[in-house]
Structures are given as structure tokens and as C-alpha cells.
Amino acid sequence: AQKVTQAQTEISVVEKEDVTLDCVYETRDTTYYLFWYKQPPSGELVFLIRRNSFDEQNEISGRYSWNFQKSTSSFNFTITASQVVDSAVYFCALSGVVDNFNKFYFGSGTKLNVKP
Amino acid sequence: GAGVSQSPRYKVAKRGQDVALRCDPISGHVSLFWYQQALGQGPEFLTYFQNEAQLDKSGLPSDRFFAERPEGSVSTLKIQRTQQEDSAVYLCASSFGLGYRDANEQFFGPGTRLTVL
């Protein structure tokens, strides 16, 4: 079964602090993809990153970075020097070969509050 | 360069009414997905179309839920005899690829918030 767990329901930080959002996944697939999406108050999910199971290189994009570790089935997301505009709900998602990659399994999300 | 659009944005229905929710995907996107998002939860898969073919409807919660995409572009999610437990945000997403080889990013619409009284 495919499952994504985001244990942190809500996190509050003060602007400029670094924050890490945790994502742990379960899958029997050997080939799968992991995603992070941002959902601002407007409701529309915004794509942030896609990572396949064969690529464990960490990725950095501006203030955002992602740490993928197959050994611990985790795909954590770090925001450096957080800003108020980062306030949103963040979702981690999994898509596997068993579903022909056409079904996304989302975690329950982590709400990030960045205070000025 | 329009994104995925959905209408209506908000819908209030009395229990037992039928509702129809519309999704306009990004032009040229072959794949279309519907998700249901309950309050405080992540989106849950409902169904998937490749062009006009509905290839997976395993997530539809009951036979009261029906989706179609007759011409391979616009899609409609219909809920018959709505119940209170149907209250949720219904999200539509589209992607360019067909899947099979890899998972393409899905582009989401703003959703339709359905409230059943």
C-alpha cells in the first residue's frame, strides 16, 4: 500500500528562521516519484518539486532545499530564512509504478505559519 | 497561458440534490484527475482520464459519483443525491503526459468547495 505521513500538523516560526517539514512514505514499488506541493489560502496547489526514486541527490532551489533518503523513506523539505509569504499548507505526495504513476497519494499536510 | 479552471468555486446544496462540478484543464493536457479534499486533510484521488477514456475510477466513494470527459478536454464531476459527508473541496488537476513511464507534475485548479446542508 502507498502511504505518506506528515507528522507535523502545524508549525509556527518567526520570519528569517529556518524550518524543516518532514515527510515519510511507505511503498512496495521500486520505482516511484515524490512531490511537494504548496497550498496557499487561495486553495490552489502549487507544484514545488518532483524527485524519482533513483535520484537521491539533494536539491536546492533558492531558499528551498529537499533531502531525500531512501534508507529512512523520508523526503524532507527545508525553507531557509523563512518569509511571511511562505505561510501555507505544504503537502508531500507519492506516485508509484503500480498505478502507472497516475495516482497521487498525499499526506495530510503541514500548516506553516511564518510570523513577522 | 491559463491554468486549470473550475466552476463554480462554491456550491451549497441541500441534501438529496444533484450537483455538477466543471473542470477546464490546461489546453493540450492529456491527463485529467479529480481529487476530494476534506477539511484539514490532503487530497484523495477520485478518478483519472486519459483523453476521453476514464482509466481509473477506483477512488469514487459510491455510485452516486460519476465523472465524464466526453471530448477529451472539459470534465464534469456529478454527485447525485448529495449527502452531508460529500461536503469537501473537489480539486481538478491536469498533466501533459500519459504516465506509464514516469509521474508528471499535476497542475491543480482552485477547487470547488461543496457544502451539503
Side-chain angles (χ1 to χ4, degrees):
Chain A
Q2 316 281 48
K3 185 179 179 181
V4 175
T5 301
Q6 295 180 256
Q8 304 152 309
T9 305
E10 188 165 354
I11 300 175
S12 292
V13 298
V14 177
E15 209 169 18
K16 297 184 183 177
E17 284 185 7
D18 299 347
V19 58
T20 295
L21 309 182
D22 297 333
C23 172
V24 174
Y25 62 93
E26 296 176 31
T27 180
R28 292 181 183 175
D29 286 343
T30 55
T31 304
Y32 54 89
Y33 285 78
L34 297 164
F35 296 80
W36 276 94
Y37 280 84
K38 174 182 180 179
Q39 188 174 44
S42 61
E44 194 167 325
L45 277 89
V46 177
F47 167 80
L48 296 177
I49 190 172
R50 179 185 79 160
R51 171 68 73 216
N52 76 49
S53 53
F54 299 109
D55 182 3
E56 285 193 74
Q57 278 195 333
N58 292 333
E59 181 155 341
I60 298 175
S61 176
R63 296 184 298 107
Y64 296 170
S65 62
W66 291 269
N67 182 275
F68 176 31
Q69 292 195 344
K70 288 179 75 171
S71 61
T72 56
S73 297
S74 65
F75 187 43
N76 296 338
F77 173 31
T78 297
I79 302 175
T80 302
S82 59
Q83 300 176 1
V84 172
V85 293
D86 296 328
S87 296
V89 181
Y90 290 86
F91 291 97
C92 181
L94 166 71
S95 181
V97 67
V98 70
D99 298 307
N100 288 323
F101 304 114
N102 286 317
K103 195 182 281 191
F104 280 22
Y105 295 84
F106 285 85
S108 55
T110 297
K111 184 176 182 181
L112 176 64
N113 302 306
V114 182
K115 302 175 183 178
Chain B
V4 178
S5 61
Q6 293 186 245
S7 60
R9 289 294 312 276
Y10 302 91
K11 177 69 178 176
V12 178
K14 291 183 180 178
R15 189 160 53 99
Q17 279 185 334
D18 297 348
V19 298
L21 313 180
R22 177 188 168 107
C23 172
D24 282 84
I26 294 173
S27 177
H29 277 194
V30 170
S31 299
L32 185 145
F33 309 82
W34 283 99
Y35 291 85
Q36 181 189 60
Q37 186 176 19
L39 189 63
Q41 298 299 313
E44 289 196 7
F45 173 85
L46 293 177
T47 187
Y48 157 65
F49 289 86
Q50 186 182 109
N51 295 308
E52 69 279 2
Q54 189 175 20
L55 298 187
D56 188 337
K57 54 182 181 179
S58 61
L60 296 177
S62 77
D63 58 8
R64 296 186 295 104
F65 286 70
F66 172 76
E68 60 183 4
R69 194 186 185 197
E71 296 178 0
S73 55
V74 171
S75 177
T76 303
L77 176 66
K78 297 179 180 178
I79 309 174
Q80 297 176 325
R81 304 181 303 282
T82 53
Q83 304 294 316
Q84 284 190 325
E85 61 263 28
D86 299 335
S87 296
V89 174
Y90 291 86
L91 295 167
C92 176
S94 69
S95 72
F96 180 76
L98 299 175
Y100 301 121
R101 290 191 207 169
D102 58 15
N104 300 284
E105 66 192 73
Q106 295 182 13
F107 295 84
F108 283 81
T112 294
R113 182 177 297 276
L114 173 64
T115 303
V116 182
L117 303 177

